[in-house]
Amino acid sequence: MRRSVREAIVGFSLLAAISSAVGLSFWLRGISLSRTNWTVKANFEQATCLAERSAVVYRGVQVGNVRKVRVTPQAVVAELEITNPDLHLTKPAYAEIGEASLLGGEAQVALVSTGPSLPANAPAPYAKGCNQAVMLCNGSTIAGLQSPSLTSVTALMSKMLIQVDQAKLIDKFTVLTGSFDKAAVDAS
């Protein structure tokens, strides 16, 4: 009798350890059996600083995370996991990559919906009755934009200065200013 009790305790302990390991693995991967998460794919020309687990925000509030980032010959495709099951985003909508702070660093994806509001009884984005012509549904694909960053603005300014130098605009501006000064002296 004692042996069967000992074997039962070992068996239940082993079962508890395996269940805990599986649960921890699901938790670390962000998988939940009770939540109703849904996904949206966003296509970007460039995705500076975007990485898996970057925040996804709507109107400044975090509503999900970037699940996966894939580079294709045509675009950078980011799979966005929305953890808010009640979020209804009407079309037209797009995703914009921005920096979480003015100093750069971590990127975040902001969802922007410019369409009219949906009625309160609209189906959920993950429901079978979701109308993809009107709103973003589970598996929808949207366009992505890269918002200006300190790096992109600096690169643009550098490019403009090179073009100004190559066109000798400063020399031409100096000659033009001298002509105006001479015309002003002659007129008086």
Side-chain angles (χ1 to χ4, degrees), residues 141-183:
T141 300
I142 58 175
L145 303 172
Q146 176 83 31
S147 64
S149 65
L150 186 58
T151 305
S152 65
V153 171
T154 305
L156 180 64
M157 291 297 292
S158 176
K159 189 176 179 181
M160 288 173 58
L161 286 173
I162 290 170
Q163 289 175 349
V164 165
D165 188 45
Q166 288 175 346
K168 305 287 186 209
L169 288 179
I170 295 176
D171 295 337
K172 292 176 184 177
F173 185 70
T174 305
V175 170
L176 183 65
T177 308
S179 300
F180 282 140
D181 287 343
K182 185 176 179 188

Side-chain angles (χ1 to χ4, degrees), residues 15 27-28 61 76 79 87 93 114 122 127-128 133 140 148 150 165 173:
L15 193 60
W27 179 71
L28 288 174
V61 177
V76 177
E79 189 175 318
L87 183 64
T114 58
K128 289 187 180 189
S140 293
L150 186 58
D165 188 45
F173 185 70

Side-chain angles (χ1 to χ4, degrees), residues 22-156:
V22 169
L24 180 64
S25 173
F26 279 177
W27 179 71
L28 288 174
R29 292 183 181 160
I31 299 171
S32 174
L33 302 176
S34 63
R35 279 192 268 165
T36 49
N37 297 345
W38 53 286
T39 59
V40 174
K41 290 182 182 175
N43 297 325
F44 297 98
E45 252 183 61
Q46 287 191 355
T48 305
C49 296
L50 187 65
E52 291 180 8
R53 298 213 179 248
S54 292
V56 176
V57 297
Y58 177 67
R59 295 185 177 178
V61 177
Q62 184 169 353
V63 294
N65 293 305
V66 175
R67 182 191 288 176
K68 190 187 302 183
V69 178
R70 236 177 351 109
V71 179
T72 66
Q74 296 80 20
V76 177
V77 180
E79 189 175 318
L80 313 176
E81 181 178 34
I82 311 300
T83 56
N84 184 344
D86 300 322
L87 183 64
H88 292 82
L89 298 171
T90 57
K91 288 186 176 179
Y94 62 92
E96 183 175 21
I97 297 177
E99 294 177 358
S101 75
L102 291 174
L103 299 176
E106 200 172 302
Q108 66 182 13
V109 178
L111 296 173
V112 180
S113 173
T114 58
S117 296
L118 292 171
N121 62 351
Y126 51 86
K128 289 187 180 189
C130 183
N131 185 355
Q132 289 210 20
V134 177
M135 64 184 280
L136 292 181
C137 299
N138 187 28
S140 293
T141 300
I142 58 175
L145 303 172
Q146 176 83 31
S147 64
S149 65
L150 186 58
T151 305
S152 65
V153 171
T154 305
L156 180 64

